[in-house]
Amino acid sequence: MKVGFIGLGNVGGKLSGSLLRNGIDLTVHDLNPDLVSGFVAQGAKAAESPAQLMRDCDAVITCLPSPAASDAVMQEMLSEVTSGKIWMEMSTTDEAEVKRLGASVIERGGAAVDCPVSGGCHRAATGNISIFAGCDRETFERILPFLTTMGRRVLHTGDLGSASVLKVLTNYLATANLITCAEALVTAKAAGMDLGTTYEAIKISSGTSFVHETESQVILNGSRDISFTMDLVKKDIGLFQEVADRAGVPLEINPVMMEIFDDGIARYGDRELSPNIIKRLEDATGLDIRAPGFPAEMQDDEPEEPGYEVVPQNR
């Protein structure tokens, strides 16, 4: 099968790189011609437009920064959707929106999948990231070879839209982890604790988390670089809020987190790196939350391995 990929940014560039590295027949498109040229130099083909990509490829993957961007691309591709074509939405997006766009694809005889990723850009680079996939089982089995090329652990989450619900849910939890890690590190420093020791104490305790073991490291280094920005956090937890609102769930913590990131964006800008949400507390206390011996960016230390489907333990 020929695969098209639209969106070669921080995440999309790494996911499509895994496809290319593993011999998939890949055609790419991005608004940034330099990103496209880099892939062409590695053996990919370039498409002039999303419409051409859908016309020439069996499956087209989109990995874009917002639901509006996905909608704009889909409007260009839709006339080229025919029976057997597959649209794979790997953006973090709204459940209702992916269902709406997916319905347009399905009406024309195509198949639609929402398949966002989770686990950090460093794991996307090595093909070891996790992938959720929402679609019918037949479509899932057709695309599983591509998903296991881009990711290590692949979970079929149910119908179209279900993966997007789980993606924003997990991003909500990651954001809560980030905020609490920031508060814990600043409090430890204020209490006179060594930050290297504090990091290890949290890591080996019941207080640890994936976010602590990754983002706390780049916080302590001072780079704060996980290739993710405050505006994207705000978008993701805003999408989670919309899911909760539609379901009638009266959330208490997420609205506070949205206020915290609104304040961070107002202070430092919407493109500020998301771990720099800790600067609000650094500014308030005058403390510098850095320590020697931590990396400027995360590297995946697991070797690239073939992916596999994750089966829920209650099945």
Side-chain angles (χ1 to χ4, degrees):
M1 290 177 71
K2 296 180 179 179
V3 178
F5 205 108
I6 302 175
L8 304 175
N10 283 332
V11 176
K14 295 175 175 64
L15 295 172
S16 51
S18 289
L19 292 173
L20 190 59
R21 186 171 62 252
N22 286 282
I24 301 298
D25 186 342
L26 184 68
T27 305
V28 298
H29 181 72
D30 194 277
L31 294 177
N32 184 335
D34 292 337
L35 295 177
V36 174
S37 296
F39 271 82
V40 170
Q42 298 174 63
K45 295 183 286 291
E48 294 183 359
S49 68
Q52 180 194 344
L53 208 60
M54 181 61 77
R55 183 168 59 250
D56 293 347
C57 297
D58 302 297
V60 174
I61 299 168
T62 49
C63 191
L64 299 164
S66 68
S70 291
D71 177 64
V73 165
M74 179 55 71
Q75 298 316 312
E76 292 190 52
M77 294 194 299
L78 205 51
S79 63
E80 301 295 337
V81 173
T82 55
S83 180
K85 299 281 189 179
I86 304 173
W87 171 51
M88 299 167 60
E89 171 65 292
M90 300 196 80
S91 318
T92 300
T93 191
D94 177 56
E95 168 205 12
E97 181 67 358
V98 77
K99 285 181 176 179
R100 182 184 72 83
L101 294 179
S104 299
V105 171
I106 293 167
E107 285 173 5
R108 287 161 174 78
V113 188
D114 59 325
C115 44
V117 300
S118 185
C121 281
H122 62 299
R123 288 187 175 171
T126 57
N128 287 329
I129 203 162
S130 297
I131 303 178
F132 304 150
C135 58
D136 62 89
R137 185 69 199 185
E138 180 182 353
T139 300
F140 176 77
E141 291 177 356
R142 285 178 65 194
I143 64 170
L144 187 57
F146 303 131
L147 297 181
T148 53
T149 298
M150 292 184 285
R152 172 79 68 86
R153 300 165 186 87
V154 179
L155 178 66
H156 183 212
T157 58
D159 294 336
L160 180 68
S162 60
S164 292
V165 172
L166 291 173
K167 168 61 175 179
V168 298
L169 183 154
T170 57
N171 277 18
Y172 157 74
L173 291 172
T175 303
N177 283 183
L178 173 60
I179 292 171
T180 55
C181 283
E183 292 188 348
L185 291 172
V186 174
T187 299
K189 178 76 171 184
M193 299 302 300
D194 174 78
L195 289 176
T197 302
T198 298
Y199 173 82
E200 294 298 336
I202 297 171
K203 182 179 177 181
I204 66 171
S205 75
S206 59
T208 197
S209 65
F210 175 83
V211 170
H212 172 66
E213 293 180 23
T214 55
E215 296 191 43
S216 287
Q217 294 203 60
V218 297
I219 285 174
L220 291 169
N221 170 273
S223 76
R224 287 43 194 305
D225 187 3
I226 57 159
S227 300
F228 208 69
T229 52
M230 290 189 183
D231 60 331
L232 295 177
V233 172
K234 178 64 189 301
K235 179 202 78 171
D236 290 354
I237 59 178
L239 291 172
F240 176 69
Q241 186 68 47
E242 291 176 15
V243 171
D245 290 345
R246 285 196 295 265
V249 180
L251 300 181
E252 296 177 301
I253 294 174
N254 196 56
V256 175
M257 298 196 324
M258 293 173 70
E259 291 176 4
I260 288 171
F261 270 88
D262 279 337
D263 183 63
I265 289 169
R267 290 171 184 251
Y268 312 118
D270 58 357
R271 301 301 293 169
E272 179 63 77
L273 292 164
S274 56
N276 262 330
I277 200 68
I278 197 172
K279 287 175 65 176
R280 296 171 67 253
L281 292 175
E282 288 180 312
D283 292 348
T285 60
L287 296 173
D288 181 5
I289 308 303
R290 289 182 293 179
F294 291 92
E297 60 182 19
M298 297 307 302
Q299 302 289 333
D300 187 11
D301 57 6
E302 293 184 82
E304 183 173 5
E305 294 182 3
Y308 58 89
E309 180 183 357
V310 175
V311 179
Q313 67 179 26
N314 62 347
R315 289 185 189 168

